[in-house]
Amino acid sequence: MVFYKLLLAVALPAFAADGLPPALSTSPIVPTILTLAPTVHDYGRFADGGPDDNWYVGFNNAWIVKLPPAPRGEFARAFIGAKLGRAKTRPNRDKPWVRELIPGKIYMAVNQVPAFPNDRSFFLTETSDMPVEPDPQARVDGVGAGEWFWAEVPLSMVSFTADNYLAIWSPTSWFTRASSSPILAAADNEDPAAARDTRAWNNRSILGVAPRSATGALQTPINNIAPAIAIKLVPPAPDEPAVNVAEFAAARVGSKVVARFSAAGEDVAEGWVEASRDQLDWTRISKVLRKPPYAFSIPAAKAPAAGTFLRGAARDSSGQVGYSEAYMVPYAQN
């Protein structure tokens, strides 16, 4: 039996009504999230469906936000993240009636000025892990609403005394228009005071890298819509394991491997299956599921060979990961 306790993260608005950074006490248990909208659940535009208004993350299209100094509190880890969706597909060259995913990667960066060198840039996610845009004329796997993705960064890169600039873009040369690129979510900015204080920009002059110089980086101001870009600050981990993964089982069904496990903990956010030949180096071989049941159908191309070890993994909203005991894929009986 799986036990889930709902524990929502605290989302702090990027600035108070008087324009000052928030001075709220932070929770010792749940993450603290800094974002332009009141909560991470307010970003319902563009990435979930409907018109995309050209809000794509691309090789030639970066989005930048300015968040206030992080609030006071005891933190052990920091993440930067964004809500993304609508990864695109295209006809397979040899089988045009089959849609295939357009592969590509998304990066983010954080700094206290709107300039983002390599050492401030981090891989965020790739289209194979994103929800996919539906096609009205063809069957497409993985369709769904936009999701939040997070990349851990050194805590020292987040300032508690100065503004924090975040940027999101893609190094993938395919991503030059909305019809081929993932879409960034957004929220309506309904605060008149906030709308007068520009804290978001679009830059369409990049070529696969974030702006290296602050000069000209803040190209087009955005005042009425907030891009879904955030900082997540995590308190120290508890003494006891935060996520318990158990009851891992796997079986072959035709050419596929079906695996399942249970995950217990506070605010379990996602789960996946990993494989290893030596139980030292583990590689994810399944999709990431963001809600139970944690049951995975692993296709033949990724199905592990006999003698391979498998395990289940689950992560909570604070970034803590738990693992099941390893399971070895048995050899065929003679």
Side-chain angles (χ1 to χ4, degrees):
M1 181 177 182
V2 186
F3 171 71
Y4 297 96
K5 180 179 179 182
L6 182 62
L7 194 59
L8 296 177
V10 176
L12 298 178
F15 41 85
D18 58 7
L20 297 175
L24 303 177
S25 61
T26 54
S27 168
I29 302 174
V30 298
T32 295
I33 297 177
L34 281 77
T35 183
L36 294 176
T39 78
V40 294
H41 302 298
D42 290 301
Y43 292 97
R45 297 190 63 174
F46 308 143
D48 292 343
D52 61 44
D53 282 15
N54 226 25
W55 273 60
Y56 70 94
V57 179
F59 182 83
N60 60 347
N61 200 31
W63 303 87
I64 301 171
V65 301
K66 180 174 69 173
L67 298 178
R72 295 180 294 273
E74 184 179 3
F75 300 110
R77 304 171 70 186
F79 298 79
I80 55 178
K83 183 180 178 182
L84 298 163
R86 302 175 72 169
K88 302 305 190 297
T89 59
R90 62 191 172 195
N92 181 281
R93 184 176 60 179
D94 299 322
K95 300 177 180 179
W97 61 91
V98 176
R99 304 290 299 185
E100 64 180 16
L101 186 70
I102 300 177
K105 299 182 178 182
I106 303 295
Y107 277 73
M108 285 190 67
V110 58
N111 204 354
Q112 282 63 65
V113 294
F116 307 98
N118 280 334
D119 62 352
R120 291 270 175 169
S121 302
F122 300 86
F123 169 72
L124 181 66
T125 188
E126 54 192 331
T127 53
S128 60
D129 286 331
M130 289 183 202
V132 178
E133 184 170 78
D135 186 292
Q137 306 300 324
R139 172 179 168 270
V140 178
D141 291 330
V143 171
E147 299 280 2
W148 280 92
F149 297 89
W150 300 96
E152 186 165 9
V153 302
L155 184 60
S156 60
M157 289 192 179
V158 177
S159 177
F160 292 78
T161 58
D163 289 329
N164 294 284
Y165 287 86
L166 279 73
I168 185 169
W169 76 98
S170 175
T172 302
S173 58
W174 286 102
F175 295 170
T176 56
R177 56 182 62 88
S179 60
S180 61
S181 309
I183 302 300
L184 178 66
D188 291 317
N189 190 350
E190 299 176 350
D191 184 346
R196 291 191 297 269
D197 182 13
T198 302
R199 289 179 174 263
W201 297 265
N202 181 222
N203 185 316
R204 297 198 174 183
S205 298
I206 67 165
L207 290 174
V209 296
R212 293 290 193 248
S213 170
T215 303
L218 306 180
Q219 193 176 78
T220 303
I222 304 170
N223 291 319
N224 60 336
I225 304 178
I229 301 174
I231 293 173
K232 178 165 64 174
L233 301 169
V234 177
D239 294 334
E240 298 180 359
V243 183
N244 180 37
V245 181
E247 301 176 8
F248 183 89
R252 289 196 178 274
V253 180
S255 61
K256 297 182 178 181
V257 169
V258 175
R260 63 170 177 81
F261 58 83
S262 66
E266 294 182 336
D267 204 10
V268 176
E270 54 191 17
W272 63 91
V273 176
E274 298 180 345
S276 174
R277 295 293 295 180
D278 55 11
Q279 299 193 70
L280 296 175
D281 297 319
W282 292 87
T283 302
R284 176 165 64 87
I285 61 171
S286 74
K287 291 275 190 179
V288 173
L289 294 182
R290 299 178 182 275
K291 58 183 178 181
Y294 295 110
F296 305 82
S297 181
I298 302 169
K302 293 187 176 182
T308 301
F309 293 93
L310 300 178
R311 70 181 182 185
R315 177 163 42 214
D316 65 13
S317 64
S318 69
Q320 296 296 310
V321 180
Y323 302 98
S324 71
E325 294 183 358
Y327 165 88
M328 189 182 77
V329 178
Y331 290 90
Q333 297 292 328
N334 294 327

